[in-house]
């Protein structure tokens, strides 16, 4: 580009701020549109519809998000031998995340992956682990979460959450939302009774109980999903 | 430390008025940097706003880095979590990332943008009121973030943790900033838009789009909301946002700052005008596509992962275009690089930009990502960009600006030199330790015995990393220490009784 003979860029684009802004906007929109629109429309269809989180699981998930567990724990088993061996024999499927708002895949493994943690440990193991991680895993670097053993969930807040989740697209019916306080108590009581068997006394509305309900759900949809995959493969 | 009274040859001791004089050189048309034909006296620039943003940058920078050192300590020594909910790692880590990105880097961007846009447009900011709303609004957002995040009020998406009312406030303040910027540009007294302004423009437009779409959510209360996207769609939108927060908050604005402040500090024209055009347009076009490299090996459709990987690889070219344009601008000034801390910081900053934009595309290759993902390698990559590129560029800009904005020679050159070395050594300790930690961890995770079983229990990898985490604590503390030395130096400069720089250079104003 010589000095006298100015380029189109220098003659036109650089002199018109509006034009430059428009060109910039077009430039930065293309990639996002191409990648996100297909996901939002086509990608939303799942091989099988799994049940949404129960009210107590919703409360527990909110605690998981609040405490920032995703800063250390991933929820994504990669289709690689070492990941699959370490975390329960199956890699993560898209359908497993269908009710996750927000998603909690995580980007770190300061602690182990939790995608398949449901059913791996007993309720009492989780209870003691949240109180003092070192009691269960001597060298753990995880913080203790003793306050979860004291604080209570608020059924009204959970009800509001269920409403908002339904607006966002989660399949909750009126019955679930209207009876959510009862459902919370019923599910919480089951965990409380189980804990009592290990000599732990607590109440259904303690935060740790909700968190346990959520953790025990993680990864438990995989059976239904692999079954659906097999059906589909057989049909082809 | 002594007060500098040496001959006025050092760049930071030059008069603020003279610093507005155009630099001479062929590759970039003169008219692009400022209107050389204008016979107007020096316009009435609003430097107070740049001063305020600079103070905020320094203060929040120290706070954000302090939180960084605290969470680094928590990983090396778990009792540092203290047992208090609001000091636990899971709540403090988002505070660190928000503080360093939105408070430290954000205020640094605004400092440079307000200072340089006025000079590049040869006029005062479009509206002083908007400048003030922007300043106080942004600091309010930061204070709200510092209160809500430790309380556990979060959206749970990385770099978009802030709850919805704060998101609304961010959108409003950002639009005020945008209107003020575009108002100034449209009413400019120059013909050309200099390359720094293109990068600022791209930043403002893109951040608006990203912020709005990633935060669309249904509130259930004043402090809680649920995204309209679920599962992997939410993940894709989030990493479209997250990756481009890196691109359009930590990269493009800093390239703009580099294009303004590096030539000024080096008194050299930008190496190549043509290169700046090519790398600007290709960079902003390609970056947007790269988000899926954060979701490699996830259940995201393969085509999306492949597109993300391909565009990430292509990104090397425009990124290195920017790096080369920066480094080659110093041609003929390398002798000064040895003695001038500002130029040294720029060189380290730009070099680390080059390194992290080479490393990033490598980590986007599936095979490499299968080793690096989830490990400390990512953290090493992040901080070579953050401590190296963002941090060093910011420090260089501040050392350039403080003497000009407060009209005093820098209090101590020796302290600036000390800061440079503390930051560089701290950065190297941090990054090298975590690269080693990351690769160690990645290899241990995949290690298998001859019988096909896993060689290492997860906890074995955790224990192995503790010594590296201690090295990071040391490196981070050094880096933070350097920042504190800088702040001390700036306070001494601003409060010094040395004669104003502008005295005795009246001719420059004529
Ligand atoms: C004294 C300096 C600093 C120290 C000691 C420090 C320490 C840390 C630590 C310990 C983490 C958590 C790592 C993990 O999850 O394992 C972290 C994350 C992070 N830091 Fe820093 N940091 C410092 C400065 C900065 C600066 C200046 C920036 C940006 C301008 C920055 C940006 C980030 C980001 C973006 C993350 C999140 C990375 C990810 O999610 O992958 N840090 N930092
Ligand atoms: C061409 C340029 C770049 C490319 C292609 C790139 C690519 C990548 C890749 C592949 C990852 C790892 C994703 C994962 O495995 O989870 C990553 C993480 C990251 N990079 Fe870069 N990078 C680039 C430049 C930069 C620069 C210059 C900075 C900082 C100023 C930066 C900041 C980050 C951050 C903050 C993360 C962590 C995100 C998270 O997991 O929370 N990157 N980048």
């Amino acid at each position: 580009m010589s000095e006298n003979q100015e380029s189109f860029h220098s003659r036109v684009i650089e002199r018109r701020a509006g034009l430059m802004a428009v060109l910039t906007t077009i430039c930065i929109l293309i990639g996002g549109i191409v990648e996100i629109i297909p996901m939002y429309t086509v990608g939303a269809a799942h091989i099988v519809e799994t049940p949404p989180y129960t009210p107590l699981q919703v409360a527990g998930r909110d605690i998981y998000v609040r405490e920032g567990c995703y800063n250390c724990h991933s929820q994504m088993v990669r289709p690689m031998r070492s990941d699959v061996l370490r975390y329960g024999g199956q890699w993560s499927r898209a359908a497993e995340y269908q009710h996750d708002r927000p998603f909690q895949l995580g980007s770190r493994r300061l602690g182990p992956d939790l995608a398949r943690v449901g059913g791996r440990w007993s309720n009492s193991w989780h209870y003691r682990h949240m109180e003092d991680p070192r009691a269960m895993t001597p060298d753990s670097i995880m913080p203790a979460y003793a306050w979860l053993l004291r604080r209570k969930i608020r059924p009204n807040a959970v009800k509001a959450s269920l409403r908002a989740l339904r607006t966002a697209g989660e399949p909750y019916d009126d019955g679930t939302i209207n009876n959510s306080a009862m459902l919370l108590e019923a599910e919480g009581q089951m965990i409380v009774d189980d804990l009592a068997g290990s000599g732990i006394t607590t109440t259904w509305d303690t935060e740790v109980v909700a968190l346990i309900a959520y953790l025990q759900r993680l990864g438990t949809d995989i059976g239904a999903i692999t079954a659906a995959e097999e059906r589909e493969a057989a049909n082809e | 430390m002594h007060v500098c009274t040496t001959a006025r040859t050092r760049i930071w001791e030059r008069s603020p008025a003279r610093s507005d004089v155009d630099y001479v050189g062929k590759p970039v048309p003169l008219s692009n940097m400022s209107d050389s034909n204008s016979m107007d006296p020096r316009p009435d620039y609003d430097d107070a706003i740049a001063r305020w943003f600079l103070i905020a940058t320094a203060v929040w920078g120290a706070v954000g880095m302090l939180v960084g050192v605290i969470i680094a300590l928590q990983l090396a020594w778990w009792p540092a979590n203290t047992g208090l909910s609001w000091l636990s790692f899971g709540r403090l880590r988002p505070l660190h990332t928000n503080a360093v990105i939105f408070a430290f880097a954000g205020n640094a961007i605004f400092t440079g943008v307000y200072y340089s846009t006025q000079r590049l447009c040869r006029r005062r900011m479009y509206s002083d009121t908007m400048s003030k709303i922007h300043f106080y609004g942004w600091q309010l957002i930061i204070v709200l973030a510092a209160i809500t995040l430790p309380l556990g009020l979060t959206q749970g998406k990385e770099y978009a943790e802030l709850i919805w009312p704060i998101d609304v406030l961010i959108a409003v303040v950002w639009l005020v900033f945008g209107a003020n910027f575009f108002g100034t540009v449209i009413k400019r007294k120059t013909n050309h838009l200099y390359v720094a302004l293109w990068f600022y423009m791209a930043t403002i437009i893109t951040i608006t789009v990203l912020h709005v779409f990633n935060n669309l959510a249904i509130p259930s209360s004043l402090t809680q909301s649920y995204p309209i996207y679920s599962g992997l769609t939410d993940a894709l939108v989030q990493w479209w946002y997250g990756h481009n927060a890196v691109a359009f908050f930590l990269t493009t604005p800093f390239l703009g700052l580099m294009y303004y402040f590096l030539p000024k500090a080096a008194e050299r024209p930008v190496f190549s005008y043509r290169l700046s055009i090519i790398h600007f347009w290709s960079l902003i076009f390609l970056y947007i596509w790269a988000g899926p490299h954060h979701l490699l090996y996830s259940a995201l459709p393969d085509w999306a992962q492949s597109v993300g990987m391909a565009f990430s690889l292509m990104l090397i070219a425009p990124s290195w275009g920017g790096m080369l344009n920066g480094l080659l601008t110093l041609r003929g000034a390398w002798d000064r690089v040895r003695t001038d801390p500002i130029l040294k910081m720029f060189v380290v900053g730009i070099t680390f930009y080059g390194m992290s934009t080479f490393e990033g595309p490598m980590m986007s290759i599936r095979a490499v990502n299968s080793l690096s993902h989830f490990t400390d390698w990512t953290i090493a990559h992040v901080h070579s960009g953050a401590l190296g590129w963002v941090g060093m560029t910011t420090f260089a800009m501040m050392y350039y600006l403080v003497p000009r904005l407060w009209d005093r020679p820098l209090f101590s050159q020796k302290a600036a030199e000390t800061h440079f070395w503390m930051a560089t050594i701290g950065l190297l300790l941090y990054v090298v330790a975590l690269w080693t930690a990351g690769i160690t961890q990645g290899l241990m995770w995949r290690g298998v015995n001859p019988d096909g079983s896993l060689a290492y229990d997860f906890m074995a990898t955790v224990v192995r990393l503790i010594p590296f985490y201690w090295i990071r604590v040391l490196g981070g503390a050094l880096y933070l220490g350097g920042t504190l030395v800088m702040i001390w130096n700036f306070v001494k400069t601003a409060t010094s009784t040395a004669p104003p720089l502008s005295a005795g250079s009246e001719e420059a104003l004529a």
Side-chain angles (χ1 to χ4, degrees):
Chain A
M1 234 158 280
S2 87
E3 302 295 302
N4 326 334
Q5 189 195 341
E6 275 190 288
S7 67
F8 178 73
H9 198 273
S10 140
R11 223 168 357 96
V12 180
I13 302 180
E14 276 167 42
R15 288 168 193 253
R16 289 176 179 72
L19 175 64
M20 187 135 195
V22 170
L23 291 176
T24 303
T25 310
I26 295 172
C27 235
I28 59 111
L29 283 180
I30 298 173
I33 291 174
V34 172
E35 287 176 353
I36 295 171
I37 305 267
M39 267 305 276
Y40 196 59
T41 51
V42 188
H46 290 294
I47 186 160
V48 57
E49 298 281 326
T50 57
Y53 290 107
T54 65
L56 193 65
Q57 290 165 356
V58 167
R61 194 167 200 278
D62 283 348
I63 295 165
Y64 185 94
V65 170
R66 181 187 79 200
E67 298 303 339
C69 307
Y70 66 89
N71 285 296
C72 293
H73 295 283
S74 55
Q75 290 187 15
M76 178 179 130
V77 183
R78 296 173 290 176
M80 290 161 36
R81 185 166 68 149
S82 51
D83 258 35
V84 168
L85 270 178
R86 198 180 289 281
Y87 299 115
Q90 284 289 351
W91 61 91
S92 295
R93 310 297 210 274
E96 289 183 83
Y97 303 118
Q98 58 188 287
H99 302 296
D100 286 1
R101 297 172 196 263
F103 79 102
Q104 294 286 288
L105 266 63
S107 61
R108 294 286 286 126
R109 273 187 193 154
L110 281 160
D113 190 274
L114 298 180
R116 299 270 176 268
V117 81
R120 189 181 161 113
W121 309 105
S122 65
N123 292 335
S124 62
W125 187 93
H126 280 301
Y127 186 97
R128 298 205 170 97
H129 183 247
M130 295 315 292
E131 183 178 24
D132 177 13
R134 260 76 41 199
M136 310 319 283
T137 310
D139 290 324
S140 177
I141 60 170
M142 179 168 141
Y145 287 90
W147 60 90
L148 298 182
L149 277 59
R150 294 190 299 268
R151 292 176 57 157
K152 307 287 176 199
I153 58 167
R154 290 179 300 129
N156 278 337
V158 179
K159 193 181 234 174
S161 294
L162 292 171
R163 284 217 183 86
L165 281 165
R166 178 162 72 179
T167 313
E170 291 303 310
Y172 291 112
D173 52 27
D174 289 338
T176 310
I177 293 179
N178 293 335
N179 300 324
S180 58
M182 224 177 63
L183 293 168
L184 282 173
E185 180 166 357
E187 194 181 350
Q189 197 55 49
M190 278 162 57
I191 296 175
V192 168
D193 293 345
D194 178 60
L195 288 174
S198 314
I200 295 166
T201 355
T202 182
T203 54
W204 65 269
D205 57 351
T206 314
E207 286 192 341
V208 70
V209 172
L211 184 63
I212 291 173
Y214 170 64
L215 292 174
Q216 298 291 25
R217 162 76 185 263
L218 284 176
T220 53
D221 295 331
I222 188 68
I225 291 166
T226 45
E229 283 172 356
E230 275 158 25
R231 273 199 306 280
E232 202 158 87
N235 288 344
E236 266 162 22
Chain B
M1 302 291 167
H2 64 286
V3 177
C4 283
T5 48
T6 46
R8 294 196 168 163
T9 50
R10 302 278 183 218
I11 187 70
W12 55 74
E13 295 175 13
R14 294 169 52 86
S15 97
R18 193 175 295 164
S19 69
D20 294 341
V21 174
D22 302 311
Y23 60 82
V24 192
K26 262 190 204 161
V28 178
L30 280 179
S31 51
N32 279 17
M33 191 85 171
S34 75
D35 191 352
S36 54
N37 300 326
S38 165
M39 298 299 338
D40 290 349
R42 184 175 181 271
D44 172 28
Y45 296 136
D46 180 6
D47 280 345
I49 191 72
R51 276 196 291 274
W52 281 111
F53 273 120
L54 190 142
I55 294 171
T57 310
V59 172
W60 292 125
V63 173
M65 291 169 204
L66 176 65
V67 180
V69 174
I70 294 173
I71 59 173
L73 181 66
Q74 291 176 333
L75 291 181
W77 185 61
W78 65 265
N81 283 288
T82 71
L84 295 169
S85 61
W86 44 279
L87 285 181
S88 67
F89 181 83
R91 295 195 189 180
L92 277 193
R93 189 188 192 270
L95 182 66
H96 166 62
T97 56
N98 279 273
V100 288
I101 296 176
F102 299 112
F104 171 60
N107 279 310
I109 295 166
F110 305 141
T111 307
V113 167
Y114 275 94
Y115 182 88
S116 61
T117 301
Q118 299 185 74
R119 281 156 177 85
L120 292 170
C121 295
R122 284 243 145 209
R123 59 157 291 152
R124 199 177 169 90
M125 286 312 290
Y126 176 70
S127 155
D128 284 6
T129 315
M130 284 184 172
S131 306
K132 288 208 181 75
I133 295 176
H134 179 195
F135 177 78
Y136 289 106
W138 198 259
Q139 312 316 316
L140 174 67
I141 289 164
I142 296 167
V143 171
L144 290 176
I147 296 170
T148 54
L149 292 173
L151 288 177
L153 301 173
T154 170
Q155 297 193 133
K157 300 217 271 183
E158 268 184 272
Y159 317 122
E161 286 91 353
L162 299 178
I163 52 176
W164 70 267
I166 306 181
D167 284 340
V168 173
L169 192 59
I170 293 174
V172 171
V173 172
W174 191 261
L175 288 177
V176 169
F177 169 44
N180 202 9
F181 173 83
F182 277 103
T184 313
V185 166
I186 288 164
K187 302 231 163 203
R188 69 189 181 280
K189 303 223 171 79
T190 52
N191 286 328
H192 281 274
L193 297 167
Y194 177 66
V195 47
L197 295 173
W198 317 345
F199 280 100
Y200 301 161
M201 207 184 264
T203 302
I204 294 172
I205 294 171
T206 315
I207 292 296
T208 312
V209 175
L210 295 169
H211 176 73
V212 169
F213 284 96
N214 188 42
N215 285 304
L216 292 177
I218 314 285
S220 68
S221 76
L222 193 62
T223 55
Q224 177 94 37
S225 64
Y226 298 90
I228 66 163
Y229 320 98
S230 69
L232 282 175
T233 310
D234 192 34
L236 181 63
V237 173
Q238 155 64 22
W239 283 117
W240 163 77
Y241 163 90
H243 178 70
N244 290 297
V246 169
F248 289 90
F249 213 87
L250 300 180
T251 303
T252 55
F254 286 90
L255 284 169
L257 299 180
M258 175 189 91
Y259 272 113
Y260 182 83
F261 290 101
L262 180 66
K264 288 284 189 189
E267 300 178 294
R268 280 286 191 274
V270 168
F271 171 67
S272 165
Y273 167 63
R274 188 171 192 168
L275 182 56
S276 68
I277 298 180
I278 298 172
H279 102 96
F280 170 75
W281 290 105
S282 47
L283 191 79
I284 65 168
F285 174 74
L286 296 175
Y287 244 127
I288 277 289
W289 294 77
H293 68 217
H294 291 269
L295 295 167
L296 296 178
Y297 290 104
S298 75
L300 193 73
D302 271 345
W303 66 265
Q305 297 190 28
S306 305
V307 168
M309 168 175 147
F311 277 82
S312 303
L313 282 170
M314 286 186 254
L315 265 173
I316 294 187
S319 302
W320 277 44
M323 171 188 73
L324 290 175
N325 224 359
L327 288 181
L328 291 175
T329 295
L330 290 167
R331 74 204 178 288
W334 284 102
D335 54 317
R336 292 215 357 257
V337 172
R338 256 179 298 135
T339 52
D340 182 344
I342 296 183
L343 294 185
K344 272 194 228 188
M345 286 174 172
F346 268 124
V347 168
V348 172
I350 297 169
T351 307
F352 270 88
Y353 175 63
M355 282 191 25
S356 51
T357 56
F358 175 75
E359 182 185 30
M362 292 304 116
M363 292 166 72
S364 307
I365 300 173
R366 280 166 142 261
V368 178
N369 193 268
S370 73
L371 182 70
S372 72
H373 190 55
F374 292 139
T375 71
D376 283 302
W377 186 347
T378 306
I379 305 302
H381 164 69
V382 170
H383 288 85
S384 73
L387 303 178
W389 164 238
V390 172
M392 287 296 197
T393 309
T394 301
F395 300 145
M397 176 188 82
M398 289 203 279
Y399 279 106
Y400 173 89
L401 282 178
V402 164
R404 289 173 171 77
L405 289 174
W406 273 270
D407 199 11
R408 291 281 184 288
L410 187 73
F411 177 72
S412 165
Q413 262 191 78
K414 239 187 171 154
E417 186 82 10
T418 310
H419 176 197
F420 169 78
W421 284 109
M422 287 174 81
T424 306
I425 295 170
L427 151 68
L428 286 172
L429 283 175
Y430 189 130
V431 173
V432 173
L434 280 246
W435 271 327
T436 320
I439 292 171
T440 307
Q441 193 176 33
L443 291 175
M444 285 174 83
W445 281 347
R446 59 162 66 163
V448 279
N449 295 317
D451 67 356
S453 64
L454 290 167
Y456 299 97
D457 172 51
F458 186 85
M459 278 315 296
T461 72
V462 174
V463 174
R464 184 71 69 88
L465 298 187
I466 302 290
F468 298 111
Y469 289 165
W470 278 111
I471 299 176
R472 167 171 55 194
V473 173
L474 182 69
L478 259 179
Y479 197 88
L480 168 65
T483 306
L484 296 178
V485 170
M486 174 189 80
I487 293 176
W488 169 82
N489 202 358
F490 287 171
V491 170
K492 286 292 199 185
T493 304
T495 56
S496 89
T497 49
L501 283 174
S502 51
S505 59
E506 298 305 315
E507 81 283 3
L509 296 170

